[in-house]
Amino acid sequence: MNVQPQHHTLPTPELANLVAPDCHGLNFYGIDKSLQDLVTLYLPEDLRAHLEPHLETFGALVGDEVDDWSRMADKHIPVLHHRDPRGRFEDWIEFHPAYRNMEDVALGDYGLAAMIHKPGVFGWDKPMSHTVKFIFQYIFGQSEFGQLCPISATETTATLIKDYGDEATKARFYDGLTSQDTKTMLKGAQFMTERPGGSDVSNIQLEARFEDGNWKLYGEKWFCSCTDGDVALLLARPQGAPAGNKGLGLFALPRRLDDGSRNSYRIVRLKNKLGSRSMASGEIVFDGAVAYPLGEVGPHENKGLKMMMDQVSLSRLSHGCRAAAMMRRCLNEALVTAQNRHAFQEKIIDKPLLRRQLMKLMLPTEQALSITLYLGNQISLAEAGDERAQMITRILTPAHKYRTARDNVRVATGAMEVRGGNGYIEDFVNARLVRDAHLGVLWEGTSNINSLDITTRAIAKVGAHKDLKEELMDQIDTSSNMPGQFKGELRSTVQQAIDFAEDVAMSGNQTLARKASSAVYNSATATLLATEGSALGAAGRDARRLLLARMVIDHRLRAQDPLKVGETGFEKAATDLLLADAPVSLDMASDVLTQ
């Protein structure tokens, strides 16, 4: 896979080991042959053809100007000002102009938060699908990770207000949250975590009191994403409501009241984060802040947590998309370095050990892309009432978030190592990718929380794994172009992986929850890669995803002897094809699969 820089003067071989070029200036859609192939499978042809010029323009913009702005915003982080020039407590946050430029592009010009809510984005007469949304987020995230949080928060805040708000609340907020006018639009936020409990929201102490005809909030939130948001969703316990999760109500908190005055809450400080530094996260104290309930709330059992989980699920999917985007940038950085860096009289991409390392970066990157696009389609089906799709998204959403977040850390670190010492220097993008990658394992549930969600809830409580198994088997059985022997092997492996996850879940063995969740993710992505590769190859396009499916089976789902010497014939042949620029025909892939 050849990812050559287009806007660089290449260094001489004598200097290339020190100053190998990076990916800045490339068109992040134009160089992504995997994405270009997959959009032919996951989008209707008329929509794909309509979006193609927009994707090309967006890819060029993200690879150049947005990449510059992102680096600038990462260095010039938000600054909190408690008072305005007249001494009023306005708690306004100053952002570097580069951050505002990215807002204008993402929220304004391309409508990344609005496109699923309204027609007209890109001149299309219907709202865009979740798959289209993820495609644009995936390209954008290859340059800017931090701003994808407010993009997702704005989109999901609008979704929950539309689904659960009364007519007055919808009229107050919805149009602003779905606007593309960055000067007047409302940006969303999520204020969830409190000091008494991070992932354990049952300990939430923020109190909601009904006073003077309004619900008002008293207490604190410890980690507030998008602290400058105009409308924040949060959980609070109405006065008199029971303890635990059942007492929590869901509220929409405006930054400003209807008369334009500042609402009664204070931003205490901003978090000095390891990564995602361009986006403001902070701590907030509430002193009678007016908030609007979503659904019925009061001194009784409330359904706020159940409603809030809609936003959490959508946010988890966005996190998976972000991880997929960052892994693609990491892989491309590693490839462009390997193709241009020299050591010991030859390009390092010709070194056998590095070629194996590059495959360790490529495999999780391609897995993440496949499941991101697939889940985009499944969400749309689920929202239309498809019960199987609802169960598939129920189990694969936490699996997607869990596995991509962890893979992203390893891929970012591996790509930094390929660049060498320069990868550790902030002059290059690798250091920021490593910092940003680690946030994914924390937001919207740690690895343990997501894996337990899969085993104790998605499998043990609702049996979502049964629908997933049926779906994967149907995909395998109906793939008429998949090589027969490999089809049988894939079918057997998927059966074994899902059965293992079921055994772990039903036994209550929580120590194996991560292993079971990885089995779910890897069996799903192996199936997607295989069916995608077969379909693309039959259409005369690149069938290389079939080879990647076999690698998932060999390295993620099959026992390995750590003391066995030697590289299989398949692995050597597949690596040579996957690291080459030429497309892989279906016949070529079929031949290699049998080795």
PDB file of all heavy atoms in Angstrom, residues 458-492:
ATOM      1  N   ALA A 458     -25.778  -7.464  27.361  1.00  0.00           N
ATOM      2  CA  ALA A 458     -26.139  -7.748  25.969  1.00  0.00           C
ATOM      3  C   ALA A 458     -26.316  -9.242  25.724  1.00  0.00           C
ATOM      4  O   ALA A 458     -27.198  -9.658  24.963  1.00  0.00           O
ATOM      5  CB  ALA A 458     -25.080  -7.179  25.032  1.00  0.00           C
ATOM      6  N   ILE A 459     -25.487 -10.062  26.364  1.00  0.00           N
ATOM      7  CA  ILE A 459     -25.604 -11.511  26.174  1.00  0.00           C
ATOM      8  C   ILE A 459     -26.501 -12.137  27.232  1.00  0.00           C
ATOM      9  O   ILE A 459     -27.522 -12.757  26.919  1.00  0.00           O
ATOM     10  CB  ILE A 459     -24.208 -12.175  26.191  1.00  0.00           C
ATOM     11  CG1 ILE A 459     -23.375 -11.688  25.000  1.00  0.00           C
ATOM     12  CG2 ILE A 459     -24.346 -13.698  26.147  1.00  0.00           C
ATOM     13  CD1 ILE A 459     -21.962 -12.253  24.964  1.00  0.00           C
ATOM     14  N   ALA A 460     -26.131 -11.988  28.509  1.00  0.00           N
ATOM     15  CA  ALA A 460     -26.837 -12.713  29.572  1.00  0.00           C
ATOM     16  C   ALA A 460     -28.275 -12.245  29.753  1.00  0.00           C
ATOM     17  O   ALA A 460     -29.164 -13.056  30.069  1.00  0.00           O
ATOM     18  CB  ALA A 460     -26.067 -12.587  30.884  1.00  0.00           C
ATOM     19  N   LYS A 461     -28.538 -10.947  29.584  1.00  0.00           N
ATOM     20  CA  LYS A 461     -29.885 -10.426  29.846  1.00  0.00           C
ATOM     21  C   LYS A 461     -30.792 -10.427  28.624  1.00  0.00           C
ATOM     22  O   LYS A 461     -31.971 -10.782  28.719  1.00  0.00           O
ATOM     23  CB  LYS A 461     -29.794  -9.013  30.433  1.00  0.00           C
ATOM     24  CG  LYS A 461     -29.350  -8.986  31.884  1.00  0.00           C
ATOM     25  CD  LYS A 461     -29.525  -7.600  32.488  1.00  0.00           C
ATOM     26  CE  LYS A 461     -29.176  -7.609  33.974  1.00  0.00           C
ATOM     27  NZ  LYS A 461     -29.363  -6.266  34.599  1.00  0.00           N
ATOM     28  N   VAL A 462     -30.273  -9.997  27.465  1.00  0.00           N
ATOM     29  CA  VAL A 462     -31.172  -9.847  26.306  1.00  0.00           C
ATOM     30  C   VAL A 462     -30.859 -10.814  25.165  1.00  0.00           C
ATOM     31  O   VAL A 462     -31.596 -10.856  24.183  1.00  0.00           O
ATOM     32  CB  VAL A 462     -31.161  -8.388  25.779  1.00  0.00           C
ATOM     33  CG1 VAL A 462     -31.603  -7.427  26.859  1.00  0.00           C
ATOM     34  CG2 VAL A 462     -29.782  -7.993  25.253  1.00  0.00           C
ATOM     35  N   GLY A 463     -29.778 -11.592  25.289  1.00  0.00           N
ATOM     36  CA  GLY A 463     -29.491 -12.596  24.270  1.00  0.00           C
ATOM     37  C   GLY A 463     -29.156 -12.034  22.906  1.00  0.00           C
ATOM     38  O   GLY A 463     -29.438 -12.668  21.873  1.00  0.00           O
ATOM     39  N   ALA A 464     -28.515 -10.868  22.862  1.00  0.00           N
ATOM     40  CA  ALA A 464     -28.214 -10.234  21.578  1.00  0.00           C
ATOM     41  C   ALA A 464     -27.222 -11.037  20.750  1.00  0.00           C
ATOM     42  O   ALA A 464     -27.174 -10.902  19.515  1.00  0.00           O
ATOM     43  CB  ALA A 464     -27.668  -8.821  21.820  1.00  0.00           C
ATOM     44  N   HIS A 465     -26.428 -11.876  21.397  1.00  0.00           N
ATOM     45  CA  HIS A 465     -25.447 -12.671  20.663  1.00  0.00           C
ATOM     46  C   HIS A 465     -26.113 -13.657  19.695  1.00  0.00           C
ATOM     47  O   HIS A 465     -25.525 -14.025  18.680  1.00  0.00           O
ATOM     48  CB  HIS A 465     -24.557 -13.436  21.645  1.00  0.00           C
ATOM     49  CG  HIS A 465     -25.293 -14.443  22.472  1.00  0.00           C
ATOM     50  ND1 HIS A 465     -26.250 -14.084  23.414  1.00  0.00           N
ATOM     51  CD2 HIS A 465     -25.238 -15.813  22.506  1.00  0.00           C
ATOM     52  CE1 HIS A 465     -26.731 -15.181  23.983  1.00  0.00           C
ATOM     53  NE2 HIS A 465     -26.143 -16.233  23.450  1.00  0.00           N
ATOM     54  N   LYS A 466     -27.331 -14.084  20.005  1.00  0.00           N
ATOM     55  CA  LYS A 466     -28.025 -15.018  19.116  1.00  0.00           C
ATOM     56  C   LYS A 466     -28.351 -14.351  17.783  1.00  0.00           C
ATOM     57  O   LYS A 466     -28.176 -14.961  16.719  1.00  0.00           O
ATOM     58  CB  LYS A 466     -29.301 -15.511  19.797  1.00  0.00           C
ATOM     59  CG  LYS A 466     -29.051 -16.293  21.089  1.00  0.00           C
ATOM     60  CD  LYS A 466     -30.350 -16.658  21.769  1.00  0.00           C
ATOM     61  CE  LYS A 466     -30.092 -17.366  23.111  1.00  0.00           C
ATOM     62  NZ  LYS A 466     -31.356 -17.687  23.815  1.00  0.00           N
ATOM     63  N   ASP A 467     -28.830 -13.119  17.852  1.00  0.00           N
ATOM     64  CA  ASP A 467     -29.105 -12.388  16.607  1.00  0.00           C
ATOM     65  C   ASP A 467     -27.817 -12.099  15.852  1.00  0.00           C
ATOM     66  O   ASP A 467     -27.789 -12.160  14.614  1.00  0.00           O
ATOM     67  CB  ASP A 467     -29.832 -11.082  16.923  1.00  0.00           C
ATOM     68  CG  ASP A 467     -31.216 -11.309  17.494  1.00  0.00           C
ATOM     69  OD1 ASP A 467     -32.164 -11.443  16.708  1.00  0.00           O
ATOM     70  OD2 ASP A 467     -31.335 -11.366  18.726  1.00  0.00           O
ATOM     71  N   LEU A 468     -26.766 -11.778  16.582  1.00  0.00           N
ATOM     72  CA  LEU A 468     -25.483 -11.514  15.922  1.00  0.00           C
ATOM     73  C   LEU A 468     -24.982 -12.771  15.217  1.00  0.00           C
ATOM     74  O   LEU A 468     -24.524 -12.708  14.070  1.00  0.00           O
ATOM     75  CB  LEU A 468     -24.453 -11.036  16.945  1.00  0.00           C
ATOM     76  CG  LEU A 468     -23.040 -10.811  16.388  1.00  0.00           C
ATOM     77  CD1 LEU A 468     -23.034  -9.717  15.320  1.00  0.00           C
ATOM     78  CD2 LEU A 468     -22.069 -10.455  17.508  1.00  0.00           C
ATOM     79  N   LYS A 469     -25.075 -13.917  15.884  1.00  0.00           N
ATOM     80  CA  LYS A 469     -24.613 -15.158  15.257  1.00  0.00           C
ATOM     81  C   LYS A 469     -25.406 -15.455  13.987  1.00  0.00           C
ATOM     82  O   LYS A 469     -24.836 -15.816  12.948  1.00  0.00           O
ATOM     83  CB  LYS A 469     -24.731 -16.329  16.231  1.00  0.00           C
ATOM     84  CG  LYS A 469     -24.143 -17.624  15.661  1.00  0.00           C
ATOM     85  CD  LYS A 469     -24.603 -18.858  16.413  1.00  0.00           C
ATOM     86  CE  LYS A 469     -23.976 -18.947  17.771  1.00  0.00           C
ATOM     87  NZ  LYS A 469     -24.293 -20.237  18.448  1.00  0.00           N
ATOM     88  N   GLU A 470     -26.715 -15.293  14.056  1.00  0.00           N
ATOM     89  CA  GLU A 470     -27.540 -15.516  12.862  1.00  0.00           C
ATOM     90  C   GLU A 470     -27.134 -14.582  11.732  1.00  0.00           C
ATOM     91  O   GLU A 470     -27.049 -14.996  10.564  1.00  0.00           O
ATOM     92  CB  GLU A 470     -29.018 -15.314  13.210  1.00  0.00           C
ATOM     93  CG  GLU A 470     -29.611 -16.385  14.087  1.00  0.00           C
ATOM     94  CD  GLU A 470     -31.069 -16.117  14.406  1.00  0.00           C
ATOM     95  OE1 GLU A 470     -31.604 -15.098  13.897  1.00  0.00           O
ATOM     96  OE2 GLU A 470     -31.679 -16.907  15.155  1.00  0.00           O
ATOM     97  N   GLU A 471     -26.893 -13.321  12.075  1.00  0.00           N
ATOM     98  CA  GLU A 471     -26.501 -12.345  11.061  1.00  0.00           C
ATOM     99  C   GLU A 471     -25.167 -12.724  10.420  1.00  0.00           C
ATOM    100  O   GLU A 471     -25.023 -12.680   9.191  1.00  0.00           O
ATOM    101  CB  GLU A 471     -26.404 -10.953  11.705  1.00  0.00           C
ATOM    102  CG  GLU A 471     -25.709  -9.893  10.871  1.00  0.00           C
ATOM    103  CD  GLU A 471     -26.543  -9.369   9.720  1.00  0.00           C
ATOM    104  OE1 GLU A 471     -27.717  -9.784   9.602  1.00  0.00           O
ATOM    105  OE2 GLU A 471     -26.023  -8.538   8.943  1.00  0.00           O
ATOM    106  N   LEU A 472     -24.190 -13.082  11.223  1.00  0.00           N
ATOM    107  CA  LEU A 472     -22.879 -13.426  10.678  1.00  0.00           C
ATOM    108  C   LEU A 472     -22.956 -14.684   9.826  1.00  0.00           C
ATOM    109  O   LEU A 472     -22.342 -14.748   8.750  1.00  0.00           O
ATOM    110  CB  LEU A 472     -21.869 -13.599  11.816  1.00  0.00           C
ATOM    111  CG  LEU A 472     -21.616 -12.358  12.683  1.00  0.00           C
ATOM    112  CD1 LEU A 472     -20.607 -12.681  13.787  1.00  0.00           C
ATOM    113  CD2 LEU A 472     -21.137 -11.178  11.850  1.00  0.00           C
ATOM    114  N   MET A 473     -23.689 -15.676  10.278  1.00  0.00           N
ATOM    115  CA  MET A 473     -23.831 -16.905   9.496  1.00  0.00           C
ATOM    116  C   MET A 473     -24.549 -16.634   8.181  1.00  0.00           C
ATOM    117  O   MET A 473     -24.184 -17.183   7.129  1.00  0.00           O
ATOM    118  CB  MET A 473     -24.584 -17.962  10.309  1.00  0.00           C
ATOM    119  CG  MET A 473     -23.837 -18.466  11.527  1.00  0.00           C
ATOM    120  SD  MET A 473     -22.224 -19.198  11.107  1.00  0.00           S
ATOM    121  CE  MET A 473     -21.700 -19.776  12.732  1.00  0.00           C
ATOM    122  N   ASP A 474     -25.568 -15.785   8.221  1.00  0.00           N
ATOM    123  CA  ASP A 474     -26.283 -15.438   6.982  1.00  0.00           C
ATOM    124  C   ASP A 474     -25.338 -14.741   6.002  1.00  0.00           C
ATOM    125  O   ASP A 474     -25.385 -15.010   4.790  1.00  0.00           O
ATOM    126  CB  ASP A 474     -27.477 -14.532   7.291  1.00  0.00           C
ATOM    127  CG  ASP A 474     -28.635 -15.275   7.925  1.00  0.00           C
ATOM    128  OD1 ASP A 474     -28.603 -16.522   7.942  1.00  0.00           O
ATOM    129  OD2 ASP A 474     -29.570 -14.609   8.411  1.00  0.00           O
ATOM    130  N   GLN A 475     -24.520 -13.832   6.515  1.00  0.00           N
ATOM    131  CA  GLN A 475     -23.580 -13.149   5.637  1.00  0.00           C
ATOM    132  C   GLN A 475     -22.617 -14.132   4.983  1.00  0.00           C
ATOM    133  O   GLN A 475     -22.325 -14.036   3.788  1.00  0.00           O
ATOM    134  CB  GLN A 475     -22.799 -12.086   6.415  1.00  0.00           C
ATOM    135  CG  GLN A 475     -23.593 -10.849   6.763  1.00  0.00           C
ATOM    136  CD  GLN A 475     -22.693  -9.642   7.011  1.00  0.00           C
ATOM    137  OE1 GLN A 475     -21.574  -9.573   6.504  1.00  0.00           O
ATOM    138  NE2 GLN A 475     -23.178  -8.690   7.768  1.00  0.00           N
ATOM    139  N   ILE A 476     -22.108 -15.066   5.771  1.00  0.00           N
ATOM    140  CA  ILE A 476     -21.165 -16.054   5.232  1.00  0.00           C
ATOM    141  C   ILE A 476     -21.856 -16.938   4.209  1.00  0.00           C
ATOM    142  O   ILE A 476     -21.336 -17.174   3.098  1.00  0.00           O
ATOM    143  CB  ILE A 476     -20.575 -16.901   6.372  1.00  0.00           C
ATOM    144  CG1 ILE A 476     -19.743 -16.035   7.317  1.00  0.00           C
ATOM    145  CG2 ILE A 476     -19.711 -18.037   5.818  1.00  0.00           C
ATOM    146  CD1 ILE A 476     -19.358 -16.714   8.614  1.00  0.00           C
ATOM    147  N   ASP A 477     -23.035 -17.431   4.547  1.00  0.00           N
ATOM    148  CA  ASP A 477     -23.722 -18.387   3.668  1.00  0.00           C
ATOM    149  C   ASP A 477     -24.164 -17.757   2.356  1.00  0.00           C
ATOM    150  O   ASP A 477     -24.204 -18.441   1.321  1.00  0.00           O
ATOM    151  CB  ASP A 477     -24.941 -18.965   4.395  1.00  0.00           C
ATOM    152  CG  ASP A 477     -24.557 -19.866   5.566  1.00  0.00           C
ATOM    153  OD1 ASP A 477     -23.381 -20.300   5.613  1.00  0.00           O
ATOM    154  OD2 ASP A 477     -25.418 -20.115   6.434  1.00  0.00           O
ATOM    155  N   THR A 478     -24.514 -16.475   2.384  1.00  0.00           N
ATOM    156  CA  THR A 478     -25.008 -15.826   1.164  1.00  0.00           C
ATOM    157  C   THR A 478     -23.887 -15.188   0.342  1.00  0.00           C
ATOM    158  O   THR A 478     -24.167 -14.595  -0.705  1.00  0.00           O
ATOM    159  CB  THR A 478     -26.062 -14.757   1.517  1.00  0.00           C
ATOM    160  OG1 THR A 478     -25.487 -13.799   2.421  1.00  0.00           O
ATOM    161  CG2 THR A 478     -27.277 -15.391   2.162  1.00  0.00           C
ATOM    162  N   SER A 479     -22.658 -15.298   0.798  1.00  0.00           N
ATOM    163  CA  SER A 479     -21.529 -14.754   0.040  1.00  0.00           C
ATOM    164  C   SER A 479     -21.103 -15.776  -1.003  1.00  0.00           C
ATOM    165  O   SER A 479     -20.288 -16.675  -0.744  1.00  0.00           O
ATOM    166  CB  SER A 479     -20.359 -14.446   0.984  1.00  0.00           C
ATOM    167  OG  SER A 479     -19.260 -13.930   0.263  1.00  0.00           O
ATOM    168  N   SER A 480     -21.662 -15.647  -2.189  1.00  0.00           N
ATOM    169  CA  SER A 480     -21.462 -16.671  -3.220  1.00  0.00           C
ATOM    170  C   SER A 480     -20.050 -16.678  -3.790  1.00  0.00           C
ATOM    171  O   SER A 480     -19.639 -17.668  -4.421  1.00  0.00           O
ATOM    172  CB  SER A 480     -22.474 -16.463  -4.356  1.00  0.00           C
ATOM    173  OG  SER A 480     -22.332 -15.156  -4.919  1.00  0.00           O
ATOM    174  N   ASN A 481     -19.304 -15.610  -3.585  1.00  0.00           N
ATOM    175  CA  ASN A 481     -17.970 -15.527  -4.175  1.00  0.00           C
ATOM    176  C   ASN A 481     -16.851 -15.839  -3.182  1.00  0.00           C
ATOM    177  O   ASN A 481     -15.678 -15.781  -3.551  1.00  0.00           O
ATOM    178  CB  ASN A 481     -17.748 -14.124  -4.746  1.00  0.00           C
ATOM    179  CG  ASN A 481     -18.750 -13.777  -5.827  1.00  0.00           C
ATOM    180  OD1 ASN A 481     -18.753 -14.359  -6.895  1.00  0.00           O
ATOM    181  ND2 ASN A 481     -19.643 -12.830  -5.532  1.00  0.00           N
ATOM    182  N   MET A 482     -17.189 -16.166  -1.964  1.00  0.00           N
ATOM    183  CA  MET A 482     -16.167 -16.503  -0.988  1.00  0.00           C
ATOM    184  C   MET A 482     -15.639 -17.915  -1.262  1.00  0.00           C
ATOM    185  O   MET A 482     -16.440 -18.832  -1.476  1.00  0.00           O
ATOM    186  CB  MET A 482     -16.730 -16.424   0.437  1.00  0.00           C
ATOM    187  CG  MET A 482     -15.675 -16.501   1.532  1.00  0.00           C
ATOM    188  SD  MET A 482     -16.407 -16.492   3.199  1.00  0.00           S
ATOM    189  CE  MET A 482     -17.288 -14.919   3.182  1.00  0.00           C
ATOM    190  N   PRO A 483     -14.322 -18.103  -1.274  1.00  0.00           N
ATOM    191  CA  PRO A 483     -13.770 -19.448  -1.498  1.00  0.00           C
ATOM    192  C   PRO A 483     -14.372 -20.459  -0.529  1.00  0.00           C
ATOM    193  O   PRO A 483     -14.469 -20.205   0.678  1.00  0.00           O
ATOM    194  CB  PRO A 483     -12.270 -19.251  -1.261  1.00  0.00           C
ATOM    195  CG  PRO A 483     -12.028 -17.812  -1.575  1.00  0.00           C
ATOM    196  CD  PRO A 483     -13.256 -17.089  -1.140  1.00  0.00           C
ATOM    197  N   GLY A 484     -14.779 -21.623  -1.054  1.00  0.00           N
ATOM    198  CA  GLY A 484     -15.547 -22.585  -0.272  1.00  0.00           C
ATOM    199  C   GLY A 484     -14.858 -23.093   0.966  1.00  0.00           C
ATOM    200  O   GLY A 484     -15.459 -23.163   2.052  1.00  0.00           O
ATOM    201  N   GLN A 485     -13.588 -23.495   0.858  1.00  0.00           N
ATOM    202  CA  GLN A 485     -12.886 -24.026   2.012  1.00  0.00           C
ATOM    203  C   GLN A 485     -12.747 -22.978   3.114  1.00  0.00           C
ATOM    204  O   GLN A 485     -12.942 -23.264   4.303  1.00  0.00           O
ATOM    205  CB  GLN A 485     -11.498 -24.526   1.596  1.00  0.00           C
ATOM    206  CG  GLN A 485     -10.709 -25.144   2.742  1.00  0.00           C
ATOM    207  CD  GLN A 485      -9.364 -25.685   2.292  1.00  0.00           C
ATOM    208  OE1 GLN A 485      -9.110 -25.858   1.095  1.00  0.00           O
ATOM    209  NE2 GLN A 485      -8.489 -25.973   3.240  1.00  0.00           N
ATOM    210  N   PHE A 486     -12.458 -21.738   2.712  1.00  0.00           N
ATOM    211  CA  PHE A 486     -12.322 -20.661   3.692  1.00  0.00           C
ATOM    212  C   PHE A 486     -13.676 -20.337   4.317  1.00  0.00           C
ATOM    213  O   PHE A 486     -13.762 -20.023   5.505  1.00  0.00           O
ATOM    214  CB  PHE A 486     -11.735 -19.420   3.025  1.00  0.00           C
ATOM    215  CG  PHE A 486     -11.579 -18.253   3.972  1.00  0.00           C
ATOM    216  CD1 PHE A 486     -10.639 -18.284   4.984  1.00  0.00           C
ATOM    217  CD2 PHE A 486     -12.396 -17.133   3.858  1.00  0.00           C
ATOM    218  CE1 PHE A 486     -10.510 -17.219   5.875  1.00  0.00           C
ATOM    219  CE2 PHE A 486     -12.270 -16.066   4.730  1.00  0.00           C
ATOM    220  CZ  PHE A 486     -11.323 -16.114   5.742  1.00  0.00           C
ATOM    221  N   LYS A 487     -14.739 -20.431   3.521  1.00  0.00           N
ATOM    222  CA  LYS A 487     -16.074 -20.175   4.065  1.00  0.00           C
ATOM    223  C   LYS A 487     -16.384 -21.116   5.210  1.00  0.00           C
ATOM    224  O   LYS A 487     -16.894 -20.703   6.268  1.00  0.00           O
ATOM    225  CB  LYS A 487     -17.121 -20.311   2.958  1.00  0.00           C
ATOM    226  CG  LYS A 487     -18.546 -20.098   3.439  1.00  0.00           C
ATOM    227  CD  LYS A 487     -19.573 -20.321   2.331  1.00  0.00           C
ATOM    228  CE  LYS A 487     -19.569 -19.197   1.318  1.00  0.00           C
ATOM    229  NZ  LYS A 487     -20.744 -19.290   0.398  1.00  0.00           N
ATOM    230  N   GLY A 488     -16.069 -22.391   5.035  1.00  0.00           N
ATOM    231  CA  GLY A 488     -16.305 -23.354   6.097  1.00  0.00           C
ATOM    232  C   GLY A 488     -15.465 -23.067   7.324  1.00  0.00           C
ATOM    233  O   GLY A 488     -15.950 -23.189   8.467  1.00  0.00           O
ATOM    234  N   GLU A 489     -14.218 -22.676   7.118  1.00  0.00           N
ATOM    235  CA  GLU A 489     -13.336 -22.353   8.234  1.00  0.00           C
ATOM    236  C   GLU A 489     -13.850 -21.132   8.998  1.00  0.00           C
ATOM    237  O   GLU A 489     -13.860 -21.111  10.239  1.00  0.00           O
ATOM    238  CB  GLU A 489     -11.921 -22.088   7.714  1.00  0.00           C
ATOM    239  CG  GLU A 489     -10.897 -21.797   8.795  1.00  0.00           C
ATOM    240  CD  GLU A 489      -9.514 -21.529   8.211  1.00  0.00           C
ATOM    241  OE1 GLU A 489      -9.398 -21.374   6.974  1.00  0.00           O
ATOM    242  OE2 GLU A 489      -8.549 -21.455   9.004  1.00  0.00           O
ATOM    243  N   LEU A 490     -14.296 -20.124   8.283  1.00  0.00           N
ATOM    244  CA  LEU A 490     -14.817 -18.918   8.910  1.00  0.00           C
ATOM    245  C   LEU A 490     -16.076 -19.230   9.698  1.00  0.00           C
ATOM    246  O   LEU A 490     -16.263 -18.765  10.834  1.00  0.00           O
ATOM    247  CB  LEU A 490     -15.095 -17.861   7.840  1.00  0.00           C
ATOM    248  CG  LEU A 490     -15.704 -16.539   8.313  1.00  0.00           C
ATOM    249  CD1 LEU A 490     -14.797 -15.838   9.319  1.00  0.00           C
ATOM    250  CD2 LEU A 490     -15.968 -15.615   7.110  1.00  0.00           C
ATOM    251  N   ARG A 491     -16.939 -20.030   9.104  1.00  0.00           N
ATOM    252  CA  ARG A 491     -18.199 -20.376   9.780  1.00  0.00           C
ATOM    253  C   ARG A 491     -17.924 -21.083  11.110  1.00  0.00           C
ATOM    254  O   ARG A 491     -18.540 -20.776  12.139  1.00  0.00           O
ATOM    255  CB  ARG A 491     -19.031 -21.271   8.854  1.00  0.00           C
ATOM    256  CG  ARG A 491     -20.517 -21.213   9.101  1.00  0.00           C
ATOM    257  CD  ARG A 491     -21.280 -22.066   8.103  1.00  0.00           C
ATOM    258  NE  ARG A 491     -22.686 -21.735   8.113  1.00  0.00           N
ATOM    259  CZ  ARG A 491     -23.539 -22.116   9.055  1.00  0.00           C
ATOM    260  NH1 ARG A 491     -23.112 -22.836  10.065  1.00  0.00           N
ATOM    261  NH2 ARG A 491     -24.811 -21.772   8.996  1.00  0.00           N
ATOM    262  N   SER A 492     -17.004 -22.027  11.082  1.00  0.00           N
ATOM    263  CA  SER A 492     -16.662 -22.771  12.290  1.00  0.00           C
ATOM    264  C   SER A 492     -16.057 -21.863  13.354  1.00  0.00           C
ATOM    265  O   SER A 492     -16.373 -21.989  14.549  1.00  0.00           O
ATOM    266  CB  SER A 492     -15.684 -23.898  11.935  1.00  0.00           C
ATOM    267  OG  SER A 492     -15.235 -24.556  13.093  1.00  0.00           O
TER     268      SER A 492
END
